[in-house]
Amino acid sequence: MSVCDPEELRTLFLFEKLDDAQLSELCAAGRIEYVDPGPVFLEGQPATCFYVLIDGEVKLTKLSGGVEVETNRTGQRGVYAGAWTAYLGDKAEPNYNGSMYVLRRSRFLVLDAADFSRMMHAWFPMAVHLLEGAFFGGRRSNQRIAERERLVALGSLSAGLTHELNNPAAAAVRATAGLRERVAGMRHKLKMMAEGKFPTEALVHLVELQEQAAEQVAKAPDLSPLEAADREDALADWFTDEGIADGWNLAPTFVQAGLDVDWLEGVKATLQACHADVFEGAVRWLNYTIETELLLNEIVDSTGRISTLVGAAKQYSQMDRAPYQVVDLHELLDSTLVMLNRKLGDGVRVVKDYDRALPPVPCFAAELNQVWTNLIDNAVYAMGGEGTLTVRTYRENDCVAVEIGDTGPGIPEEERNRIFEPFFTTKPVGEGTGLGLDISFRIVVNKHDGDIRVDSVPGDTRFTVRLPLQPAQQAPAGS
């Protein structure tokens, strides 16, 4: 420790406008310290001192994904670090928001945080008020606009989900109406059968054929349009030869069930003792059976789709789940893709390259879903709705990496360094607030101690999110 010289302090840009009395008070309150190479303070420790470099060289770092990232390296006289927000009082973060290391023996003016705060309020009261207004006003504005951003995103997702739900719901309604008509037709045919027109033995065989037809529906092969058309023509000709009216209208149903002329010949052989009208009635009875099974399958598929969408929505919103939990990231990514399915449309090809060996990750799941939503939405916008969206996961040391890639035109280098800034957007006025990536950055870096970066060239833009497998600190209870 050495004597503080007011005249030396006047040579530092930070203090050049102070008067003699202020410089003397600064020297009286502070102290000159020599620091050997090594750490001066570490991120997360209580912010007790304000440091001003008189001579030497320092390095500033911040934690990202559990790894220290260098943010500045300088030997400029007068640079400062440490408890520089102490003048905000207990409203400010009480801990150092970064780390400082000395690279060669250096000399500092060191002020206790309380003394620095007192001097700021005494010497620059108006500046303190302005800084407080800028600091807290900006924070409130960010919070409110971020809330609006979330509401806008929620509205967009809700509209997409409503559209996705409407399709299977409408299909189920149509299938149910059709099923009602088929069941009514079966009741009519059942009445005809009950009038005794079918011999008892033929009726038993017909019920067995009905069971075979119903089972065959579930095993029907997938046919190309050309194959299906050929089979329909063959069946229509067979119905015409057998004197069955509107056979062309019955043929598609039997083909869809995987039934052909040979199977119908078997039906004919079973009912060979019956009148021709009875045989036609039996064919139409079987047609009703097949249509009923097909409609039931459509209802099952539609309601299953609705159930899947509701499940994806619950997974996406993390309803009825603790905010902080250990989850499979692939479930979060899949639920987000389902929620954004309408926005992806037919022009975007989705490629999933998942490392299924990845362990579960401790995280705030609902907030990570917001990150995936922002990144995927930006990727689709960048591609103009046409291209390839790649979602890749892999392990990198003690972190899990999630990569969202697109084949859009890329991000210019002059914009790449600003894309995580609040309110900076490359979208036209009215189409973006510039907070999507800022929110994503704060969720990944500040809340998860992770890292988010971008690499971009024309045709290949990749946002990579890294999340630590072991959290730096346990999430607070009830968070």
Side-chain angles (χ1 to χ4, degrees), residues 305-450:
R305 174 65 177 162
I306 292 172
S307 179
T308 299
L309 286 168
V310 171
K314 288 186 68 176
Q315 174 68 261
Y316 180 84
S317 65
Q318 295 293 300
M319 288 190 329
D320 304 325
R321 301 187 184 190
Y324 190 81
Q325 54 186 301
V326 179
V327 299
D328 182 348
L329 286 182
H330 302 126
E331 293 180 0
L332 303 185
L333 291 165
D334 285 342
S335 68
T336 303
L337 288 170
V338 170
M339 294 295 289
L340 293 173
N341 185 60
R342 181 167 178 249
K343 184 165 287 190
L344 294 173
D346 297 329
V348 176
R349 173 173 168 260
V350 179
V351 175
K352 297 180 184 179
D353 183 9
Y354 290 169
D355 179 359
R356 294 293 184 180
L358 288 179
V361 177
C363 64
F364 294 89
E367 297 192 34
L368 281 185
N369 278 339
Q370 189 176 359
V371 173
W372 315 141
T373 299
N374 289 335
L375 296 181
I376 293 172
D377 184 64
N378 284 347
V380 174
Y381 180 88
M383 292 187 290
E386 291 187 357
T388 300
L389 174 75
T390 303
V391 183
R392 179 182 173 223
T393 64
Y394 57 94
R395 182 163 183 166
E396 189 175 90
N397 300 322
D398 293 329
C399 292
V400 168
V402 177
E403 187 179 280
I404 308 294
D406 67 71
T407 55
I411 305 171
E413 186 174 355
E414 62 272 16
E415 296 178 352
R416 211 174 303 156
N417 295 329
R418 299 189 59 198
I419 57 174
F420 294 110
E421 293 180 9
F423 307 112
F424 177 78
T425 179
T426 59
K427 297 178 181 177
V429 175
E431 293 192 28
T433 63
L435 280 178
L437 289 177
D438 171 57
I439 291 170
S440 300
F441 182 89
R442 285 188 276 115
I443 290 173
V444 172
V445 177
N446 298 344
K447 203 149 190 178
H448 290 87
D449 295 314

Side-chain angles (χ1 to χ4, degrees), residues 157-174:
L157 287 173
S158 297
L161 180 61
T162 301
H163 178 82
E164 291 291 327
L165 285 170
N166 182 65
N167 289 336
V173 170
R174 289 194 303 269

Side-chain angles (χ1 to χ4, degrees), residues 47-234:
T48 58
C49 295
F50 176 70
Y51 293 84
V52 180
L53 180 66
I54 298 176
D55 53 61
E57 187 177 8
V58 297
K59 176 180 75 173
L60 302 178
T61 69
K62 281 189 69 67
L63 287 173
S64 177
V67 177
E68 280 191 295
V69 177
E70 183 175 324
T71 58
N72 194 18
R73 179 187 294 250
T74 181
Q76 182 180 359
R77 300 177 72 247
V79 296
Y80 56 89
W84 64 273
T85 58
Y87 59 85
L88 296 173
D90 57 7
K91 300 175 184 176
E93 171 61 46
N95 300 323
Y96 292 117
N97 62 5
S99 302
M100 183 170 77
Y101 295 85
V102 164
L103 301 179
R104 56 185 170 86
R105 184 173 171 80
S106 302
R107 189 161 55 105
F108 296 89
L109 169 69
V110 183
L111 282 172
D112 289 340
D115 289 329
F116 174 63
S117 176
R118 174 178 55 78
M119 291 177 185
M120 285 289 293
H121 282 83
W123 297 350
F124 314 110
M126 183 176 177
V128 168
H129 287 305
L130 291 172
L131 289 169
E132 285 181 344
F135 184 84
F136 296 113
R139 177 186 289 179
R140 283 192 294 270
S141 296
N142 283 356
Q143 287 174 342
R144 290 178 181 175
I145 296 177
E147 288 171 1
R148 181 184 179 278
E149 183 92 356
R150 292 187 180 98
L151 286 174
V152 170
L154 180 61
S156 176
L157 287 173
S158 297
L161 180 61
T162 301
H163 178 82
E164 291 291 327
L165 285 170
N166 182 65
N167 289 336
V173 170
R174 289 194 303 269
T176 303
L179 183 62
R180 187 185 301 277
E181 294 178 5
R182 294 339 182 255
V183 171
M186 291 183 73
R187 286 198 300 266
H188 174 74
K189 295 301 178 186
L190 185 61
K191 177 183 176 182
M192 182 188 75
M193 293 165 65
E195 289 174 348
K197 295 182 179 180
F198 280 78
T200 302
E201 185 178 351
L203 187 57
V204 170
H205 285 303
L206 183 59
V207 172
E208 291 175 353
L209 290 169
Q210 182 185 26
E211 293 296 329
Q212 291 178 20
E215 291 176 2
Q216 184 61 35
V217 170
K219 299 183 294 184
D222 292 328
L223 302 176
S224 67
L226 185 60
E227 290 173 327
D230 290 342
R231 291 196 182 192
E232 288 173 13
D233 290 341

Side-chain angles (χ1 to χ4, degrees), residues 217-292:
V217 170
K219 299 183 294 184
D222 292 328
L223 302 176
S224 67
L226 185 60
E227 290 173 327
D230 290 342
R231 291 196 182 192
E232 288 173 13
D233 290 341
L235 278 177
D237 292 341
W238 187 86
F239 285 134
T240 299
D241 294 342
E242 296 298 328
I244 297 175
D246 298 332
W248 59 270
N249 201 24
L250 300 175
T253 302
F254 283 88
V255 169
Q256 193 173 353
L259 303 176
D260 53 17
V261 171
D262 291 340
W263 191 85
L264 285 169
E265 286 287 357
V267 174
K268 179 181 177 182
T270 300
L271 303 175
Q272 59 185 350
C274 299
H275 189 272
D277 290 342
V278 175
F279 173 63
E280 181 174 349
V283 170
R284 296 191 183 280
W285 166 266
L286 292 171
N287 182 69
Y288 282 132
T289 299
I290 295 167
E291 286 185 324
T292 299

